[in-house]
Amino acid sequence: MMNHPKNYFKSILVAFALLGAGNAVVNAQGVSTTQLKQFKLMSSTQIHAGGKQISDPAFKGDQAWFDAAVPSTVLTALVANKVYPDPHIGMNNMLIPDANDSFSTAYGLDKYSYLPHVKNPWKDPYWYRTTFNVADADPSKRFELIFDGINYRAEVWLNGHQVADSSKMVGMFAKYQFDVTPFIKANQSNALAVKIYPLDYPGTPDTEQLQALGSFYLNGGPTGDIGKNVTMLCSVGWDWMPPTRDRNMGIWQPVYLRETGVVSIGNTQLITELPKLPDTSEASLKLNLALHNSSSEAVKGKLQVSIHPENFKGNSSDRISFSQDVTVGAKGQGSVSLDANKIKDLLVKNPKLWWPVGYGDPNLYRIQLKFTSQEKTLDDTSFVFGIRTVKSEAESVGGHYDGFYRRNFYVNGKRIHLVGGAWVPDMMLDRDAKRFYTELSLCKNANLNLIRIWGGGITPPEPFWDAADRLGLLVWNDFWVTGDTQGEFKGSPDYPFQGNVFLKNVTSSILSIRNHSSLLVWTGGNEGHARKELYDGMRQAIITLDGTRPYIPSSSGYAKMPKGWLGSWPDNKPAGVYSGGPYAWKDPKVYYSLADTAKDWLFKDETGIPSQPPLNTLRKVIPDMVWDTTLPYPFNNTWGYHDACTGAGKYDEYYQDMVSRYGQPLQIDSFSNKMQLMNATGYQGIFEAANSKISDNGGVMLWKLNAALPSVIWQIYDWYLLPNAGYYYMKKACEPVHIQFNQNDSAVAVINRSRFDQGGLTAEATLYDITGKVTGKQTAKVKQALADHAITALSLKKLLQGQSEFRFILLSLKDQAGKEVSSNVYWTAAGNDYTALNQMTGTKISASVVNSDQHRGWEKMTIKLENKGQQIAFFNRGQVLVDGEEINAALWSDNYVTLAPGESKELSVTFERLQGVGRLQVKFSGWNTKEELMDFATEW
């Protein structure tokens, strides 16, 4: 069971309360930021007016346009308006035209265009239009229009005036800010019109995955030509996602109107240092920012700075307040740089540090910056930050590993063994702040400490980063380069064509996210490199604009880096991290062998398995679940579109391995349960293998964590936010102190993933046959388990000799007080023949509530689950239900639990009590147990 920080449950409640805040945030004396959300949308092919007319507040031509809740891509808005069916579901994507004309014609998709006499609805620009009011504004007010992200080009008009054109406003990852003060109309309606242009080059998709167990989609299409743009490269399709038909053209991030005085604060950077490491009793802060004066006279004023705890109580030393006199020249910009040498308050004694998951609490402070002049607030802004340092070093290991480097990462001077995986965007970018927080909460609950932003996707919006900061998740940020588009495998080093656009987007991204405590490392891309002028420009921009965290050239040390190029920063060494899989399901023994001898497992940053969801969401992934008898049971070709294919994931072998180990399923529930056993042992094997060499490798990361659409491959939780069994076996493997069994050498080891030594432990292993009879038992004392180390507690080799028939191995690790710290379960049999499970006799379980805590719409329930019989209670799954429908994002302390005869365990589950009427139930069901159902209320 995971021991969350004591404020963990409270932090979830506070974070979700923040997500419900209104549009306008009034800071002080009229300084405000208002999000513009409600837009109208229409294809430019249907409009005969230009930007000047459309942005006239008196324009009435938008009355028949579609509603668009920005942020929204064009296709997202059209789906919301029922113009097209939801492409996430079933085969609906084959009912929508594609942005590539020849591809659309080849598949007959052009007939689905909703526009009269227009075969490709994505070839021409779209207009977004909204109106808003501004209260009476005095001449000293300044108004700024902010676009956090558009795709791909845009021109902006306000009240009949052009603010920006499409030659300057281009690229998916740049933030745009425009002074629109001269165009604002006080006490009147204002009209904003934004013309969004499609990608310059729509890219060529690969052959659609229309057959189950057929060929996988080629990443980035057959030519990788989507790479000509600075955009979400996987929007043309990848081997886990079909093409997004409009390539996500639209206003995909928020739009804001910001009101300040004539002096505004910008380009803020807060740097935290621990100058006495390994001593962390003192932190030094550095504050850099720019002040912009839009008036024709110099402004004398005062910069006021205050810092206070954000998510912890703190004391007086955690509260800082000071001010600095500043004069900003007329129509100019002044820079301010403050550090502990200038401001003694910026030397913080006994700071509360920000730590990643498993190593401590992610303590956060809030800084507020205010510029005042003549007792009037001209600008006021704030953000949260953590006091922490990050560092990375690569070392040549030598010997068997000659030529390979291992990269280690450090937070606050402590080496962090990284466990996590790649994060991919929703195929239509359809994630809001609540969804980001929910998904990252699932990652934290799984004991992961790292999220990798994959280079073929997107740099996520601000709510993602805020959630990562608050949850203690480190983030590895790839830039938008892949081997499939920039020439490593296909595509071309000449992509993207507009290098200046790429570098402008790089600069904007660095400035936007550099203050986030969660950001661990920048990487130059995924399994490849940009051409030299872009590579050098990106590397130098990171050094100049950030300079506080490392850069590595690529997410794969296998990527061919040209001779003479500069390497990682600051150590100028190779990446020291390696992709390359395996991406298919493997026996756990294979992963142990890889961890022992494979050179790329010095730091394995991509490996994974097909990961079928549990049955209740599988029915949503495959809504037409009717068996095509020309295929193995229970497949039909819809499975192929949702990634049950060959290729890297080898779904066919995943299925065949399940049949050979557990027997041919003939019913859908049996099929689903056996696939969950495959998920459990697969993810357990990956992370426990890396654990076994924890001191010798830098970490292990999954390809991948999440899903871009409902899928049956490479995910620890599905698109509907329901974890599969592998999630919980991985969660256990990544717990701070862990007990595990190596099937290659029969050793039982204790893994200490925390930053503190552990002592006084007792390891116990018990063997059971298929009837629940004990066939062997062994215990051992573990006097000391060093931090960041593995230690062998005992060997089961002798005990297992002569026991070739099916056996359960149950492990338990207890502290000096007899409290269980970790538990684990395995099953073994000669030839991996586990079909004995199909004849396993039943047992009875009971469940009872020990404690329940409700607060602000959330509930945390502690449940005692007990095995009442003389047989093993195997693979018991807990579910929180409302009217029979599972609450998918419930945070369980453990699940798919196995109990020895007479054993009981306490489990906790935290879930949102949804508004509405329904019967709340908690259900447990197991491999050989009848359902245990607890009813709580008829209304909630």
Side-chain angles (χ1 to χ4, degrees), residues 2 145 159 165 294 509 542 693 699 758 793 904:
M2 180 179 178
L145 193 59
N159 294 334
D165 66 39
S294 61
S509 295
I542 289 165
K693 294 289 186 177
Q758 305 287 331
S904 66

Side-chain angles (χ1 to χ4, degrees), residues 538-550:
M538 172 171 48
R539 187 180 186 274
Q540 188 57 49
I542 289 165
I543 297 168
T544 303
L545 300 175
D546 181 12
T548 68
R549 47 179 64 83

Side-chain angles (χ1 to χ4, degrees), residues 119-296:
K119 289 188 174 183
N120 184 345
W122 324 121
K123 200 166 191 174
D124 298 285
Y126 275 75
W127 282 102
Y128 286 74
R129 184 179 188 274
T130 191
T131 59
F132 58 90
N133 292 311
V134 172
D136 191 18
D138 65 57
S140 67
K141 288 295 179 184
R142 178 176 179 269
F143 293 89
E144 188 175 51
L145 193 59
I146 302 169
F147 291 83
D148 276 358
I150 57 94
N151 192 32
Y152 181 64
R153 294 179 182 269
E155 64 180 62
V156 179
W157 294 76
L158 181 63
N159 294 334
H161 301 275
Q162 186 167 8
V163 176
D165 66 39
S166 60
S167 66
K168 300 285 175 60
M169 201 171 176
V170 55
M172 190 175 186
F173 308 109
K175 182 175 180 177
Y176 300 92
Q177 298 169 269
F178 304 109
D179 186 347
V180 293
T181 306
F183 311 136
I184 289 291
K185 297 182 177 182
N187 293 317
Q188 299 181 49
S189 178
N190 293 261
L192 171 66
V194 184
K195 190 176 187 180
I196 294 291
Y197 291 78
L199 270 61
D200 292 350
Y201 308 93
T204 307
D206 188 31
T207 304
E208 293 276 14
Q209 293 177 181
L210 300 179
Q211 290 185 321
L213 308 182
S215 297
F216 252 125
Y217 192 100
L218 290 175
N219 295 339
T223 66
D225 57 349
I226 190 73
K228 295 175 181 178
N229 313 277
V230 182
T231 193
M232 174 177 156
L233 300 173
C234 64
S235 66
V236 78
W238 225 259
D239 61 3
W240 39 266
M241 179 184 130
T244 305
R245 297 304 186 201
D246 70 340
R247 306 296 189 267
N248 284 322
M249 66 180 295
I251 305 177
W252 74 281
Q253 289 215 50
V255 180
Y256 299 100
L257 182 70
R258 180 157 169 77
E259 179 183 349
T260 67
V262 294
V263 173
S264 59
I265 302 168
N267 285 347
T268 306
Q269 182 183 30
L270 185 63
I271 299 171
T272 65
E273 296 177 337
L274 299 172
K276 295 182 178 180
L277 279 175
D279 180 356
T280 61
S281 64
E282 189 173 278
S284 176
L285 309 185
K286 293 182 180 180
L287 177 64
N288 301 317
L289 56 87
L291 294 171
H292 177 77
N293 179 8
S294 61
S295 73
S296 57

Side-chain angles (χ1 to χ4, degrees), residues 774-807:
V774 174
T775 64
K777 189 171 185 177
Q778 196 168 333
T779 62
K781 298 289 185 183
V782 180
K783 292 183 178 179
Q784 188 175 46
L786 298 177
D788 198 29
H789 279 73
I791 182 171
T792 300
L794 54 90
S795 173
L796 297 180
K797 188 170 288 188
K798 290 184 179 179
L799 200 60
L800 286 167
Q801 286 176 354
Q803 298 198 45
S804 60
E805 296 180 346
F806 184 98
R807 291 291 183 269

Side-chain angles (χ1 to χ4, degrees), residues 301-355:
K302 196 178 291 290
L303 177 67
Q304 299 177 4
V305 180
S306 65
I307 297 173
H308 58 83
E310 169 74 4
N311 62 352
F312 64 95
K313 198 168 184 179
N315 51 46
S316 59
S317 66
D318 297 309
R319 289 169 171 80
I320 298 169
S321 183
F322 63 89
S323 62
Q324 189 85 356
D325 291 332
V326 181
T327 299
V328 190
K331 293 289 183 181
Q333 182 167 292
S335 61
V336 177
S337 184
L338 304 173
D339 59 26
N341 293 323
K342 298 176 182 177
I343 308 292
K344 61 179 178 57
D345 290 330
L346 291 177
L347 192 65
V348 183
K349 300 294 184 181
N350 300 311
K352 306 299 186 296
L353 301 183
W354 186 95
W355 288 100

Side-chain angles (χ1 to χ4, degrees), residues 511-525:
L511 294 175
S512 294
I513 65 178
R514 64 183 177 180
N515 286 324
H516 285 284
S517 307
S518 52
L519 181 55
L520 173 69
V521 58
W522 309 96
T523 80

